């Protein structure tokens, strides 16, 4: 977090306050789970969702600083809770270079720890957030859960359509980005049209972000990511680089990849994962996925250009550029 926001000192300071708010909320947790939750919430993510809340909250005439920081903290805590649950579903041992809560205390207690974080997030809601329509919040969180359910039910099926993939990542990632922008815009009392534009910016940004995340699962470095690459393929989760590689016209190579994907009844072993990863790269899957991520970025940039507040618009553009070249 520290390095990512070094060019944005004011935002960095506000995000520190978000971090403090989250830490204070978690500090009152049950003694057994407190240290584990504290290290999870302080594990140094980029805090993108709260940053989007804050930036969109600055689009109005006045910046409702206190409320924006509280709403930003709620968004980050929902995200952190979803990661706790996601690591159980993915049986992930590492996140951000640290042992996951699942790896530390097992699935049963990790489920409860995630629930606990959600409960603590609710404790930050004051009841004054009337401008944030509950239907928009409920819709985003329902989509988050539905997409994870759908992904899990389809685990091991590598041959899904791109439409299914886009719907999936729309739900599991873009919906929370969109909600963050919408919530920020709502705290600033923006008009319904402006709130919709912010929602759209968040959605497109979330889509580009998740596609890039999925690309990094093929070409990233374990060390930089703080988690293992090739994990999606290993866990039976098809993502855009694979789907695009399967569309390649290099028929023989595609046939070989398909054989690898269908020959495994159980989880792929390390050497099959390695082979699959290099086949996807060689078939141009990563490159093609990158250009689709770029088209989502362009979509968001067009909406950003329409924002009245040029200062915030410039900050959003800088954030986009930084995210586009991230390697973790
Ligand atoms: C990471 O995806 C996971 C998500 C973005 C969402 C997870 C959502 C749930 C588990 C639903 C539960 C929701 C709540 C509110 C508790 P990934 O596995 O592709 O990314 P990763 O490589 O970072 O794990
Ligand atoms: Mg995961």
């Amino acid at each position: 977090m520290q390095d990512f926001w070094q060019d944005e000192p004011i935002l960095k300071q506000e995000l520190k306050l978000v971090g403090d708010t989250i830490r204070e909320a978690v500090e009152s947790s049950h003694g057994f789970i407190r240290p584990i939750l504290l290290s999870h919430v302080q594990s140094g993510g980029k805090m993108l969702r709260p940053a989007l809340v804050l930036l969109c909250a600055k689009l109005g005439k006045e910046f409702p600083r206190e409320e924006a920081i509280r709403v930003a903290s709620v968004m980050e805590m929902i995200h952190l809770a979803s990661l706790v649950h996601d690591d159980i579903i993915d049986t992930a041992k590492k996140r951000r270079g640290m042992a996951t809560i699942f790896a530390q205390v097992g699935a049963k207690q990790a489920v409860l720890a995630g629930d606990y974080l959600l409960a603590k997030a609710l404790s930050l809601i004051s009841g004054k957030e009337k401008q944030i329509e509950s239907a928009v919040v409920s819709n985003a969180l329902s989509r988050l859960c539905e997409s994870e359910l759908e992904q899990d039910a389809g685990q091991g099926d590598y041959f899904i359509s791109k439409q299914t993939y886009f719907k999936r990542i729309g739900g599991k990632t873009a919906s929370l980005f969109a909600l963050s922008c919408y919530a920020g815009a709502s705290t600033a009392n923006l008009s319904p049209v402006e709130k919709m534009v912010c929602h759209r910016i968040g959605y497109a940004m979330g889509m580009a972000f998740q596609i890039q995340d999925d690309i990094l699962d093929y070409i990233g470095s374990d060390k930089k990511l703080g988690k293992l690459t090739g994990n999606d393929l290993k866990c039976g989760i098809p993502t855009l680089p694979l789907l695009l590689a399967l569309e390649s016209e290099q028929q023989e190579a595609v046939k070989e990849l398909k054989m690898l994907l269908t020959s495994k009844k159980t989880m792929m072993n390390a050497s099959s994962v390695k082979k699959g990863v290099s086949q996807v790269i060689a078939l141009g899957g990563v490159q093609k996925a990158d250009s689709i991520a770029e088209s989502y970025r362009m979509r968001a940039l067009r909406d950003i250009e329409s924002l009245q507040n040029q200062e915030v618009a410039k900050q959003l553009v800088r954030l986009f550029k930084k995210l586009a070249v991230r390697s973790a």
Side-chain angles (χ1 to χ4, degrees), residues 54-263:
L54 294 166
L55 286 171
C56 291
K58 290 180 185 192
L59 286 168
K61 288 195 183 73
E62 273 174 48
F63 173 43
R65 195 165 187 266
E66 229 172 85
E67 192 183 355
I69 287 174
R70 216 161 23 75
V71 171
S73 308
V74 174
M75 288 303 152
E76 181 67 2
M77 286 174 85
I78 294 174
H79 168 60
L80 289 167
S82 81
L83 292 183
V84 176
H85 286 177
D86 181 67
D87 288 334
I88 305 166
I89 297 166
D90 292 351
T91 59
K93 300 264 167 21
K94 270 170 79 181
R95 177 171 296 278
R96 297 172 183 165
M98 287 173 16
T100 57
I101 298 190
F102 161 70
Q104 291 181 64
V105 295
K108 273 197 266 182
Q109 290 178 8
V111 170
L112 293 166
D115 292 342
Y116 213 115
L117 260 186
L118 278 181
K120 292 289 175 193
L122 292 180
S123 76
L124 293 177
I125 295 173
S126 69
K128 286 189 208 141
E129 305 81 1
K130 296 211 173 44
Q131 327 83 312
I132 307 175
E133 279 174 56
S134 58
V136 181
V137 180
S138 161
N139 184 43
L141 299 188
S142 307
R143 282 202 66 194
L144 194 68
C145 297
E146 278 163 12
S147 304
E148 282 289 308
L149 273 170
E150 192 270 330
Q151 177 174 291
D152 189 59
Q155 190 182 10
D157 177 6
Y158 292 105
F159 304 101
I160 61 167
S161 68
K162 280 184 290 183
Q163 201 186 3
T164 300
Y165 167 80
F166 289 130
K167 193 166 173 227
R168 210 177 253 184
I169 67 165
K172 79 173 194 182
T173 304
S175 63
L176 204 52
F177 274 69
L179 178 63
S180 300
C181 289
Y182 168 85
S186 302
T187 62
N189 269 322
L190 298 192
S191 71
V193 172
E194 289 167 311
K195 289 203 277 188
M196 200 180 70
V197 170
C198 288
H199 191 277
R200 255 195 339 241
I201 292 172
Y203 198 85
M205 192 171 188
M207 293 296 281
F209 181 85
Q210 185 60 47
I211 294 171
Q212 199 174 353
D213 220 47
D214 293 341
I215 289 174
L216 289 172
D217 198 71
Y218 279 88
I219 57 162
S221 102
D222 291 354
K223 206 165 162 235
K224 274 196 187 163
L225 290 171
K227 58 189 179 188
L228 302 175
T229 46
N231 205 43
D232 289 338
L233 206 51
K234 182 176 156 204
C235 292
I237 299 170
T239 59
L240 197 55
L242 174 69
L243 300 179
L244 294 170
L246 288 169
E247 280 183 357
S248 160
E249 280 165 11
Q250 299 176 48
Q251 285 175 8
E252 273 314 302
V254 170
K255 207 166 136 191
E256 230 182 275
L257 176 59
K258 279 186 177 166
M259 264 165 56
L260 181 96
L261 298 174
T262 44
S263 65

